[in-house]
């Protein structure tokens, strides 16, 4: 059961494609089918927070990732279901995620080809910079990808080293991730390359916002995740970031990515928490938009990759709203945003 013949899908994607039964809390809808490369021996890296990490016990195909299970299906079956949904206008994008293993590069290209042969749909590749070479980018374009995602995840070189590099005996290098980000921009162009960062790996708000600005200045954008401990991972006992911290970083990300404010206009307190966003923010906060999931967009210009409940249990308040927050949600967000009782 290996890619390209087989592929893992997120639980949300499997529900969306009617491959498993289920419904989303608060009737959220997913518009991006997230696929993950299947390989018997899994990922060769040891990222401390990641469910797929090599040192986490269990078989790769059973390991959860970003909080949920990723069942394995025949790629042909997934593509067939996607085609039906696409024809009905129910899905807007597909994202293929690599694991750190050179074969994943070839598998990702092959799966994209299988999809493109059957339907016209925008495709994102979430690539693994440690195994991707610059000469792969023209091949990604040729296979039909229009966007690239790079999960840098940790906001500073020290945290990156600790959680993904030498600190865990992992193969990743900070410099390679940023160089790969520049290479991706060279081939895919501004606005088509996104970084992922995980809030809560030990960084301060200021450090996270600085990394987001660096990405923006390069021509990229940022998609945020809130750390959630995976059972049996090295960080299984690591606390989640306070929701107030996450709300402030979300708002800062929105203002930076939309070109409304900048890191150097913002002010921070002695704990490096954001106290001033550099511009009046009431209008943006009231819109609720900064707190919705940021991710790759569909052809309609709206976020397709909205990852419902990837950061929390469905019974909890969404950290990333997969739908526009209600009036009631916004009132709660406002209280959280200006809460400085936690660090
Ligand atoms: S490289 Fe990616 S999939 Fe592999 S352990 Fe690290 S975060 Fe997880």
């Amino acid at each position: 059961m290996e890619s390209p013949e087989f592929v893992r899908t997120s639980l949300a994607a499997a529900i969306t494609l009617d491959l498993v039964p289920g419904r989303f809390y608060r009737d959220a809808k997913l518009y991006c089918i997230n696929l993950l490369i299947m390989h018997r021996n899994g990922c060769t890296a040891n990222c401390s927070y990641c469910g797929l990490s090599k040192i986490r016990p269990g078989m790769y195909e059973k390991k959860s990732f970003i909080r949920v299970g990723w069942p394995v299906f025949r790629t042909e079956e997934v593509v067939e279901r996607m085609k039906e949904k696409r024809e009905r206008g129910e899905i807007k994008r597909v994202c293929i995620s690599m694991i750190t293993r050179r074969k994943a590069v070839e598998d990702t290209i092959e799966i994209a080809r299988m999809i493109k042969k059957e339907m016209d749909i925008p495709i994102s590749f979430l690539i693994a910079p440690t195994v991707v070479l610059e000469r792969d980018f023209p091949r990604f374009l040729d296979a039909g990808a229009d966007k690239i995602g790079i999960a840098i995840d940790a906001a500073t070189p020290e945290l990156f080293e600790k959680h993904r590099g030498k600190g865990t005996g992992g193969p990743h290098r900070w410099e390679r991730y940023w160089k790969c980000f520049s290479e991706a921009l060279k081939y895919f162009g501004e606005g088509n390359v996104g970084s992922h960062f995980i809030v809560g790996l030990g960084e301060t708000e200021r450090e996270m916002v600085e990394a987001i600005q660096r990405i923006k200045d390069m021509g990229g954008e940022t998609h945020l995740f809130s750390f959630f401990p995976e059972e049996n991972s090295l960080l299984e006992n690591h606390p989640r970031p306070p929701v107030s911290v996450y709300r402030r970083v979300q708002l800062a990300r929105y203002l930076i990515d939309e070109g409304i404010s900048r890191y150097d206009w913002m002010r921070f307190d002695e704990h490096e928490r954001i106290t001033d966003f550099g511009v009046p923010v009431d209008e943006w906060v009231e819109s609720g938009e900064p707190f919705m999931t940021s991710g790759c967009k569909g052809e309609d210009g709206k976020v397709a990759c909205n990852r419902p409940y990837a950061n929390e249990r469905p019974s909890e308040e969404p950290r990333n709203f997969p739908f526009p927050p209600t009036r009631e949600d916004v009132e709660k967000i406002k209280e959280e945003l200006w809460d400085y009782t936690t660090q």
Side-chain angles (χ1 to χ4, degrees), residues 16 24 27 59 67 76 122 179 215 218 259 292 338 342:
T16 302
F24 295 112
D27 243 356
M59 283 154 72
R67 215 191 61 79
E76 261 177 23
K179 183 158 183 292
I215 292 287
M218 287 170 80
M292 289 175 67
W338 306 114
T342 50

Side-chain angles (χ1 to χ4, degrees), residues 41 117 147 174 198 221 276 279 281-282 289 312 321:
N41 297 323
K117 210 168 111 208
K147 289 197 187 287
W174 170 259
I198 301 177
E221 52 188 46
D276 181 340
V279 290
V281 295
D282 289 355
E289 230 182 276
E312 66 284 313
F321 280 81

Side-chain angles (χ1 to χ4, degrees), residues 36 43-47 49-54 65 98-100 128 153 164 172 177:
L36 174 65
C43 187
T44 59
N46 281 336
C47 304
Y49 49 87
C50 181
L52 301 180
S53 156
K54 188 175 69 181
F65 180 46
M98 293 181 189
I99 48 174
T100 301
D153 291 349
R164 315 197 69 185
H172 302 317
Y177 269 64

Side-chain angles (χ1 to χ4, degrees), residues 18-83:
D18 303 321
L19 288 162
V20 300
R23 277 187 59 215
F24 295 112
Y25 189 68
R26 287 180 70 173
D27 243 356
K29 293 220 170 2
L30 172 75
Y31 300 106
C32 178
I33 299 302
N34 297 91
L35 306 179
L36 174 65
I37 293 304
M38 174 62 207
H39 189 283
R40 183 174 358 128
N41 297 323
C43 187
T44 59
N46 281 336
C47 304
S48 64
Y49 49 87
C50 181
L52 301 180
S53 156
K54 188 175 69 181
I55 43 178
R56 186 180 181 209
M59 283 154 72
Y60 168 70
E61 60 266 39
K62 300 272 181 231
K63 288 180 180 176
S64 63
F65 180 46
I66 327 177
R67 215 191 61 79
V68 292
W70 288 63
V72 184
F73 298 100
R74 225 172 231 295
T75 311
E76 261 177 23
E77 190 185 2
V78 172
V79 173
E80 204 175 293
R81 294 291 175 99
M82 277 173 47
K83 197 174 167 188

